[in-house]
mmCIF file of all heavy atoms in Angstrom:
data_model
loop_
_atom_site.group_PDB
_atom_site.id
_atom_site.type_symbol
_atom_site.label_atom_id
_atom_site.label_comp_id
_atom_site.label_asym_id
_atom_site.label_seq_id
_atom_site.Cartn_x
_atom_site.Cartn_y
_atom_site.Cartn_z
ATOM 1 N N SER A 69 38.168 7.065 8.250
ATOM 2 C CA SER A 69 37.748 8.398 8.680
ATOM 3 C C SER A 69 38.992 9.189 9.086
ATOM 4 O O SER A 69 40.108 8.647 9.112
ATOM 5 C CB SER A 69 36.745 8.304 9.829
ATOM 6 O OG SER A 69 37.403 8.289 11.072
ATOM 7 N N GLY A 70 38.806 10.442 9.395
ATOM 8 C CA GLY A 70 39.934 11.300 9.773
ATOM 9 C C GLY A 70 40.721 10.742 10.950
ATOM 10 O O GLY A 70 41.949 10.884 11.018
ATOM 11 N N THR A 71 40.031 10.102 11.866
ATOM 12 C CA THR A 71 40.679 9.533 13.047
ATOM 13 C C THR A 71 41.781 8.547 12.638
ATOM 14 O O THR A 71 42.839 8.497 13.263
ATOM 15 C CB THR A 71 39.618 8.842 13.934
ATOM 16 O OG1 THR A 71 38.630 9.825 14.279
ATOM 17 C CG2 THR A 71 40.217 8.282 15.205
ATOM 18 N N GLY A 72 41.538 7.791 11.586
ATOM 19 C CA GLY A 72 42.555 6.862 11.095
ATOM 20 C C GLY A 72 43.802 7.601 10.635
ATOM 21 O O GLY A 72 44.932 7.168 10.902
ATOM 22 N N TRP A 74 44.842 10.488 11.701
ATOM 23 C CA TRP A 74 45.517 10.953 12.936
ATOM 24 C C TRP A 74 46.479 9.863 13.433
ATOM 25 O O TRP A 74 47.603 10.109 13.796
ATOM 26 C CB TRP A 74 44.485 11.108 14.041
ATOM 27 C CG TRP A 74 43.927 12.452 14.320
ATOM 28 C CD1 TRP A 74 44.323 13.664 13.832
ATOM 29 C CD2 TRP A 74 42.835 12.701 15.226
ATOM 30 N NE1 TRP A 74 43.531 14.650 14.375
ATOM 31 C CE2 TRP A 74 42.624 14.096 15.226
ATOM 32 C CE3 TRP A 74 42.025 11.895 16.029
ATOM 33 C CZ2 TRP A 74 41.626 14.698 16.008
ATOM 34 C CZ3 TRP A 74 41.031 12.493 16.798
ATOM 35 C CH2 TRP A 74 40.833 13.877 16.793
ATOM 36 N N PHE A 96 38.371 18.340 19.522
ATOM 37 C CA PHE A 96 39.137 17.490 18.608
ATOM 38 C C PHE A 96 40.601 17.397 19.023
ATOM 39 O O PHE A 96 41.204 16.324 18.953
ATOM 40 C CB PHE A 96 38.929 17.924 17.152
ATOM 41 C CG PHE A 96 37.541 17.593 16.687
ATOM 42 C CD1 PHE A 96 36.554 18.567 16.614
ATOM 43 C CD2 PHE A 96 37.193 16.280 16.408
ATOM 44 C CE1 PHE A 96 35.253 18.240 16.236
ATOM 45 C CE2 PHE A 96 35.896 15.946 16.031
ATOM 46 C CZ PHE A 96 34.921 16.930 15.952
ATOM 47 N N VAL A 145 45.637 21.611 15.799
ATOM 48 C CA VAL A 145 44.454 21.491 14.951
ATOM 49 C C VAL A 145 44.275 22.827 14.231
ATOM 50 O O VAL A 145 44.158 23.863 14.887
ATOM 51 C CB VAL A 145 43.207 21.143 15.795
ATOM 52 C CG1 VAL A 145 41.955 21.137 14.925
ATOM 53 C CG2 VAL A 145 43.389 19.807 16.498
ATOM 54 N N ASN A 147 41.791 23.984 12.145
ATOM 55 C CA ASN A 147 40.443 24.543 12.334
ATOM 56 C C ASN A 147 39.747 23.679 13.379
ATOM 57 O O ASN A 147 39.373 22.541 13.082
ATOM 58 C CB ASN A 147 39.674 24.511 11.011
ATOM 59 C CG ASN A 147 38.290 25.118 11.114
ATOM 60 O OD1 ASN A 147 38.139 26.284 11.461
ATOM 61 N ND2 ASN A 147 37.263 24.333 10.829
ATOM 62 N N GLU A 148 39.626 24.191 14.596
ATOM 63 C CA GLU A 148 39.015 23.404 15.681
ATOM 64 C C GLU A 148 37.504 23.420 15.459
ATOM 65 O O GLU A 148 36.823 24.424 15.722
ATOM 66 C CB GLU A 148 39.437 23.992 17.030
ATOM 67 C CG GLU A 148 38.869 23.339 18.273
ATOM 68 C CD GLU A 148 39.004 21.811 18.377
ATOM 69 O OE1 GLU A 148 40.034 21.284 18.808
ATOM 70 O OE2 GLU A 148 37.997 21.159 18.024
ATOM 71 N N THR A 149 37.007 22.314 14.962
ATOM 72 C CA THR A 149 35.617 22.222 14.525
ATOM 73 C C THR A 149 34.630 22.322 15.681
ATOM 74 O O THR A 149 33.455 22.605 15.482
ATOM 75 C CB THR A 149 35.411 20.887 13.771
ATOM 76 O OG1 THR A 149 36.589 20.604 13.027
ATOM 77 C CG2 THR A 149 34.240 20.961 12.830
ATOM 78 N N ASP A 176 46.291 18.918 12.045
ATOM 79 C CA ASP A 176 44.977 18.367 11.690
ATOM 80 C C ASP A 176 44.238 19.407 10.860
ATOM 81 O O ASP A 176 43.913 20.483 11.362
ATOM 82 C CB ASP A 176 44.216 18.035 12.988
ATOM 83 C CG ASP A 176 42.744 17.698 12.770
ATOM 84 O OD1 ASP A 176 42.215 17.937 11.673
ATOM 85 O OD2 ASP A 176 42.112 17.219 13.735
ATOM 86 N N ILE A 178 41.442 18.409 9.119
ATOM 87 C CA ILE A 178 40.289 17.586 8.712
ATOM 88 C C ILE A 178 39.104 18.464 8.303
ATOM 89 O O ILE A 178 38.398 18.146 7.354
ATOM 90 C CB ILE A 178 39.923 16.571 9.816
ATOM 91 C CG1 ILE A 178 41.078 15.568 9.991
ATOM 92 C CG2 ILE A 178 38.617 15.836 9.491
ATOM 93 C CD1 ILE A 178 40.929 14.586 11.145
ATOM 94 N N SER A 179 38.894 19.581 9.013
ATOM 95 C CA SER A 179 37.742 20.428 8.649
ATOM 96 C C SER A 179 38.166 21.710 7.938
ATOM 97 O O SER A 179 37.356 22.605 7.754
ATOM 98 C CB SER A 179 36.910 20.759 9.886
ATOM 99 O OG SER A 179 37.676 21.511 10.800
ATOM 100 N N GLN A 201 35.108 14.357 4.306
ATOM 101 C CA GLN A 201 33.687 14.700 4.439
ATOM 102 C C GLN A 201 33.392 16.133 4.860
ATOM 103 O O GLN A 201 32.275 16.449 5.206
ATOM 104 C CB GLN A 201 33.032 13.727 5.420
ATOM 105 C CG GLN A 201 33.328 13.954 6.894
ATOM 106 C CD GLN A 201 34.581 13.269 7.397
ATOM 107 O OE1 GLN A 201 35.524 13.079 6.652
ATOM 108 N NE2 GLN A 201 34.607 12.919 8.680
ATOM 109 N N LYS A 202 34.409 17.004 4.820
ATOM 110 C CA LYS A 202 34.139 18.377 5.249
ATOM 111 C C LYS A 202 34.378 19.309 4.068
ATOM 112 O O LYS A 202 33.572 19.323 3.142
ATOM 113 C CB LYS A 202 34.934 18.654 6.505
ATOM 114 C CG LYS A 202 34.462 17.675 7.604
ATOM 115 C CD LYS A 202 35.148 17.734 8.924
ATOM 116 C CE LYS A 202 34.598 16.617 9.809
ATOM 117 N NZ LYS A 202 35.174 16.585 11.141
HETATM 118 C C1 PLP B 501 35.767 15.727 12.057
HETATM 119 C C2 PLP B 501 37.074 15.981 12.714
HETATM 120 C C3 PLP B 501 37.861 14.957 13.239
HETATM 121 C C4 PLP B 501 37.400 13.542 13.269
HETATM 122 O O1 PLP B 501 37.356 12.995 12.007
HETATM 123 P P1 PLP B 501 36.532 11.634 11.742
HETATM 124 O O2 PLP B 501 36.439 11.615 10.254
HETATM 125 O O3 PLP B 501 35.236 11.789 12.445
HETATM 126 O O4 PLP B 501 37.337 10.519 12.271
HETATM 127 C C5 PLP B 501 39.079 15.289 13.777
HETATM 128 N N1 PLP B 501 39.526 16.548 13.816
HETATM 129 C C6 PLP B 501 38.794 17.574 13.329
HETATM 130 C C7 PLP B 501 39.328 18.961 13.393
HETATM 131 C C8 PLP B 501 37.552 17.326 12.772
HETATM 132 O O5 PLP B 501 36.810 18.330 12.306
#
Side-chain angles (χ1 to χ4, degrees):
S69 89
T71 302
W74 262 351
F96 289 102
V145 175
N147 182 59
E148 178 51 84
T149 324
D176 169 347
I178 295 174
S179 63
Q201 76 273 30
K202 299 178 184 181

